[in-house]
Amino acid sequence: MKNLLFKALILLSILSTHASCIQRGKPSMSEAGDTLQMKYATLLHIVRYEDYTIVSIDNPWKEGKTLHKYVLLEKGRTPSAELPKGTVIHIPATKNVVFNTAHCQLMDWLGARSQLSGITDLKYILVPFVKEGVSKGIIEDCGDGMSPVVEKIIDMKPDLIMLSPFENSGGYGRLDDINIPLVECADYMERSALARAEWMRFYGLLLGKSEEADSLFAIVDSSYNALKELAKKSTDERSILTEKLTGSTWYVPGGKSSIGGIISDANGTYPWKDDKHGGSLAMTFESVLDKAGNSDVWIFNYFGSGHLTYDQLSSEFQGYQEIKAFKTKETWYVDTQRTPYFEEVSFRPDYLLRDYIILLHPTLGLGKPRYYTPVYN
């Protein structure tokens, strides 16, 4: 009997030790964190821990490097351990300065209007609640985005500043020294439209609007992919040329850019589809004409006043008359002074995809474009 009891105790000891080893070998939530899986975004990494959330942004210009690391800590919560290195942001951020019109519009869509306290480049913003807020003194106009009124921003004491990073920018001047978290919105450097749109999940986390952001992104994702499938049903094989001359240079989207991807998803033919660049390509008019002059459709953005006519285009540059779409009157433009193109397309790429499908596949009967207007005769 004693023998049997002794063996049982040995067995229990072994099992207990084994279980302890298994427990030690398996990372706990507080050690390993819970990764928020991104469906499309490649530059953004979010890991939730028990006391905080880590957000890492890959440097889009230096492979293998980190652009910025943030530690998100809920307001009023005291962490049980020392926080890791990174810019600490207390969430939800309820008082924010935003440098980009698209992020202002996103705040509107997420139900976070009251969390916008300051903006820059007011003259380029078409979001109605922003215009109204500035006129009523609810939202501060902080001047030009390239040289903001830093003193005004300091006096506001915002929770964070949202701005766009640029390659070799050399930093943000005085904004680097005022002890206000700078959120580097590198969403525009993603290679696909849906990847860029998915950054709304990060911004929703900052604003305390995660559920709203996840819900909106699910709508965008579903709508975009449904339109993509619809475009595949068209038998039209039409090509498209984008942009126009800026001075003596014609900047066209690279083949791997988000615009190049949207054209592909719209089942359109893009002259630079085989190009491997994610940014823009600087071209001469002659090279554009040679490669894309016979495109069926020509589209571009236009910041002007009144309706744009073919005579105005000709007076701007006579060479435009050599473009096939100019001759066939298949030229369309976005009046960015009156149409909220830049406000919307970053986080609603499904809207832009629909416009492209309408222009490339009119037989599908999707109606009128949301953004594009035909150049007037």
Side-chain angles (χ1 to χ4, degrees):
M1 182 69 180
K2 288 182 180 178
N3 239 0
L4 188 60
L5 182 59
F6 179 73
K7 288 180 180 178
L9 289 172
I10 292 293
L11 179 60
L12 282 173
S13 176
I14 292 171
L15 289 173
S16 175
T17 303
H18 180 61
S20 176
C21 289
I22 291 174
Q23 198 67 23
R24 284 198 299 270
K26 181 181 179 181
S28 67
M29 174 68 76
S30 60
E31 292 171 340
D34 182 18
T35 299
L36 179 63
Q37 296 297 332
M38 294 287 117
K39 189 171 182 180
Y40 302 100
T42 60
L43 300 175
L44 186 63
H45 311 281
I46 302 175
V47 183
R48 290 192 176 101
Y49 295 86
E50 186 176 346
D51 291 338
Y52 52 83
T53 297
I54 296 292
V55 179
S56 296
I57 300 173
D58 291 346
N59 190 319
W61 302 286
K62 295 180 181 179
E63 190 173 351
K65 300 293 184 180
T66 298
L67 179 69
H68 212 128
K69 183 178 179 181
Y70 299 96
V71 181
L72 310 187
L73 184 65
E74 289 184 21
K75 287 181 177 177
R77 181 163 190 167
T78 303
S80 57
E82 184 180 351
L83 292 175
K85 289 183 179 180
T87 299
V88 176
I89 298 178
H90 296 275
I91 59 171
T94 56
K95 192 174 184 180
N96 310 295
V97 174
V98 177
F99 278 42
N100 188 297
T101 184
H103 299 113
C104 293
Q105 180 61 71
L106 179 63
M107 291 179 74
D108 187 10
W109 286 335
L110 295 182
R113 288 185 179 186
S114 64
Q115 292 166 249
L116 179 62
S117 300
I119 52 90
T120 61
D121 298 316
L122 176 63
K123 63 182 177 181
Y124 298 118
I125 296 178
L126 299 182
V127 185
F129 93 88
V130 175
K131 295 280 192 182
E132 183 180 353
V134 172
S135 68
K136 292 181 177 180
I138 300 170
I139 298 173
E140 292 284 351
D141 179 0
C142 300
D144 187 284
M146 298 304 292
S147 55
V149 184
V150 178
E151 289 75 13
K152 182 178 287 190
I153 295 175
I154 294 172
D155 290 342
M156 291 169 60
K157 299 178 181 177
D159 292 326
L160 56 81
I161 300 170
M162 296 175 66
L163 38 67
S164 299
F166 296 95
E167 185 177 15
N168 300 322
S169 66
Y172 301 100
R174 288 186 61 201
L175 291 177
D176 287 323
D177 304 320
I178 62 176
N179 202 30
I180 296 171
L182 301 179
V183 176
E184 298 193 89
C185 303
D187 50 74
Y188 77 99
M189 287 301 296
E190 291 281 359
R191 289 296 185 94
S192 78
L194 286 176
R196 180 178 190 178
E198 193 170 18
W199 276 60
M200 71 173 70
R201 301 175 68 191
F202 169 39
Y203 304 137
L205 191 61
L206 290 174
L207 299 169
K209 299 289 184 180
S210 288
E211 288 186 11
E212 292 86 346
D214 288 346
S215 177
L216 177 58
F217 181 69
I219 292 170
V220 173
D221 187 20
S222 175
S223 172
Y224 189 98
N225 282 296
L227 286 165
K228 181 179 175 180
E229 291 304 311
L230 176 63
K232 290 179 181 178
K233 297 178 180 179
S234 175
T235 57
D236 298 329
E237 295 183 5
R238 281 158 59 86
S239 53
I240 189 167
L241 168 64
T242 73
E243 317 310 326
K244 64 187 185 75
L245 282 172
T246 300
S248 60
T249 305
W250 193 310
Y251 296 96
V252 300
K256 297 301 180 184
S257 66
S258 59
I259 292 297
I262 294 176
I263 293 172
S264 175
D265 291 339
N267 194 17
T269 300
Y270 184 51
W272 288 273
K273 64 182 177 63
D274 295 325
D275 174 76
K276 305 302 181 185
H277 293 87
S280 296
L281 307 175
M283 314 284 289
T284 63
F285 171 75
E286 290 74 20
S287 58
V288 169
L289 185 66
D290 181 60
K291 192 171 183 67
N294 285 322
S295 296
D296 299 297
V297 180
W298 178 23
I299 62 173
F300 51 82
N301 296 330
Y302 175 76
F303 187 82
S305 57
H307 299 306
L308 179 63
T309 68
Y310 283 97
D311 285 342
Q312 284 177 281
L313 271 180
S314 294
S315 63
E316 186 179 305
F317 181 68
Q318 288 191 351
Y320 290 150
Q321 297 178 28
E322 300 180 52
I323 296 172
K324 175 186 173 182
F326 183 101
K327 298 174 184 176
T328 60
K329 302 298 187 282
E330 284 267 26
T331 304
W332 301 70
Y333 72 102
V334 177
D335 182 352
T336 56
Q337 194 170 3
R338 293 175 174 79
T339 305
Y341 175 90
F342 291 116
E343 283 72 15
E344 296 184 350
V345 298
S346 297
F347 299 104
R348 290 305 305 253
D350 53 322
Y351 288 168
L352 186 56
L353 176 61
R354 179 181 176 274
D355 271 18
Y356 281 14
I357 293 173
I358 290 170
L359 300 182
L360 289 164
H361 309 286
T363 56
L364 289 177
L366 286 180
K368 293 182 179 180
R370 182 182 184 90
Y371 305 115
Y372 287 93
T373 299
V375 173
Y376 287 72
N377 289 322

Coordinates of all heavy atoms in Angstrom, one line a residue, residues 13-14 25 40 46 60 112 114 116 152 179 191 219 236 242 280 283 297 317 322 343 366 374:
S13 N 3.9 14.4 -9.0 CA 5.0 15.4 -9.1 C 5.4 15.6 -10.5 O 5.7 16.7 -10.9 CB 6.1 14.9 -8.2 OG 7.2 15.7 -8.3
I14 N 5.6 14.4 -11.3 CA 6.0 14.5 -12.7 C 5.0 15.3 -13.5 O 5.3 16.2 -14.3 CB 6.2 13.1 -13.2 CG1 7.4 12.4 -12.6 CG2 6.4 13.2 -14.7 CD1 7.6 11.0 -12.9
G25 N 6.3 27.6 -21.1 CA 6.7 27.6 -22.5 C 5.7 28.4 -23.3 O 6.0 28.8 -24.4
Y40 N -5.0 44.0 -45.7 CA -4.3 44.5 -46.9 C -3.1 45.4 -46.5 O -2.1 45.3 -47.3 CB -5.3 45.4 -47.7 CG -6.5 44.7 -48.2 CD1 -7.7 44.9 -47.6 CD2 -6.5 43.8 -49.3 CE1 -8.9 44.2 -48.0 CE2 -7.6 43.2 -49.8 CZ -8.8 43.4 -49.1 OH -10.0 42.8 -49.5
I46 N -0.2 46.3 -35.5 CA -0.8 46.7 -34.3 C -0.9 45.4 -33.4 O -1.4 44.4 -33.8 CB -2.2 47.2 -34.5 CG1 -2.2 48.4 -35.4 CG2 -2.9 47.5 -33.2 CD1 -3.6 49.0 -35.8
P60 N 8.5 53.4 -45.3 CA 8.3 53.0 -46.7 C 9.4 53.3 -47.6 O 9.5 52.8 -48.7 CB 7.0 53.8 -47.1 CG 7.0 55.0 -46.1 CD 7.7 54.5 -44.9
A112 N -16.6 61.5 -35.3 CA -15.6 62.1 -34.4 C -15.4 63.6 -34.7 O -14.4 64.1 -34.5 CB -14.3 61.4 -34.5
S114 N -16.4 66.2 -33.1 CA -16.1 67.0 -32.0 C -14.6 66.8 -31.5 O -14.1 67.6 -30.7 CB -17.0 66.7 -30.8 OG -16.8 65.3 -30.4
L116 N -12.1 67.0 -33.6 CA -11.2 67.8 -34.4 C -11.1 69.2 -33.9 O -12.1 69.9 -33.9 CB -11.7 67.8 -35.9 CG -10.9 68.7 -36.9 CD1 -9.5 68.1 -37.0 CD2 -11.6 68.7 -38.3
K152 N 0.0 78.8 -31.9 CA -1.4 78.5 -31.7 C -1.7 77.0 -31.4 O -2.5 76.7 -30.5 CB -2.2 78.8 -33.0 CG -3.7 78.6 -33.0 CD -4.4 79.0 -34.3 CE -4.4 80.5 -34.4 NZ -5.3 80.9 -35.6
N179 N 6.6 68.7 -27.7 CA 6.1 67.6 -26.8 C 4.6 67.3 -27.0 O 3.9 67.0 -26.0 CB 6.3 68.1 -25.3 CG 6.4 66.9 -24.4 OD1 6.8 65.8 -24.8 ND2 5.9 67.0 -23.1
R191 N 0.7 50.3 -51.2 CA 0.7 50.0 -52.6 C -0.7 49.7 -53.2 O -0.8 49.6 -54.4 CB 1.6 48.8 -52.9 CG 3.1 49.0 -52.7 CD 3.6 50.1 -53.8 NE 5.1 50.3 -53.7 CZ 5.9 49.6 -54.5 NH1 5.5 48.7 -55.3 NH2 7.2 49.9 -54.4
I219 N -17.5 47.7 -45.0 CA -18.4 48.2 -46.1 C -17.5 48.5 -47.3 O -17.9 48.2 -48.5 CB -19.2 49.5 -45.6 CG1 -20.2 49.1 -44.6 CG2 -19.8 50.1 -46.8 CD1 -20.8 50.2 -43.9
D236 N -15.7 45.2 -72.8 CA -15.0 46.4 -73.4 C -13.5 46.3 -73.0 O -13.2 45.9 -72.0 CB -15.6 47.7 -72.7 CG -17.1 47.9 -73.0 OD1 -17.5 47.5 -74.1 OD2 -17.8 48.4 -72.2
T242 N -4.1 59.2 -67.5 CA -4.4 60.0 -66.4 C -3.4 61.2 -66.3 O -2.3 61.2 -66.9 CB -4.3 59.3 -65.0 OG1 -2.9 59.0 -64.7 CG2 -5.0 57.9 -65.1
S280 N 5.0 58.2 -58.6 CA 4.7 58.7 -59.9 C 6.0 58.7 -60.8 O 7.1 58.6 -60.3 CB 4.3 60.2 -59.8 OG 3.1 60.3 -59.1
M283 N 7.4 62.3 -66.8 CA 7.6 62.1 -68.2 C 7.5 63.4 -69.0 O 7.0 64.4 -68.5 CB 6.4 61.2 -68.7 CG 6.1 60.0 -67.8 SD 7.3 58.6 -68.0 CE 6.9 58.0 -69.7
V297 N -9.7 56.9 -73.1 CA -10.2 57.9 -72.1 C -9.1 58.7 -71.5 O -8.0 58.1 -71.3 CB -11.0 57.2 -71.0 CG1 -11.5 58.2 -69.9 CG2 -12.1 56.3 -71.5
F317 N -2.2 74.2 -73.7 CA -1.1 73.6 -74.4 C -1.6 72.9 -75.7 O -2.5 72.0 -75.6 CB -0.4 72.5 -73.5 CG 0.7 71.7 -74.1 CD1 1.9 72.4 -74.4 CD2 0.6 70.4 -74.5 CE1 3.0 71.7 -75.0 CE2 1.6 69.7 -75.1 CZ 2.8 70.4 -75.3
E322 N -3.4 66.5 -79.9 CA -2.9 65.3 -80.6 C -3.3 64.0 -79.9 O -3.2 62.9 -80.4 CB -1.4 65.3 -80.7 CG -0.8 66.5 -81.5 CD 0.7 66.5 -81.5 OE1 1.3 65.4 -81.9 OE2 1.3 67.5 -81.2
E343 N -10.9 64.7 -50.4 CA -11.4 64.4 -49.1 C -11.8 62.9 -49.0 O -11.7 62.3 -47.9 CB -12.7 65.3 -48.9 CG -12.3 66.7 -48.5 CD -11.8 67.5 -49.6 OE1 -11.9 67.1 -50.8 OE2 -11.3 68.6 -49.4
L366 N -23.8 51.9 -64.9 CA -23.7 52.3 -63.5 C -24.1 53.7 -63.2 O -24.1 54.2 -62.1 CB -22.3 52.1 -63.0 CG -21.9 50.6 -62.7 CD1 -20.4 50.6 -62.2 CD2 -22.8 50.0 -61.7
P374 N -17.4 65.7 -67.8 CA -16.8 65.8 -69.2 C -16.3 67.2 -69.5 O -17.0 68.2 -69.1 CB -18.0 65.4 -70.1 CG -19.2 65.7 -69.3 CD -18.9 65.4 -67.9

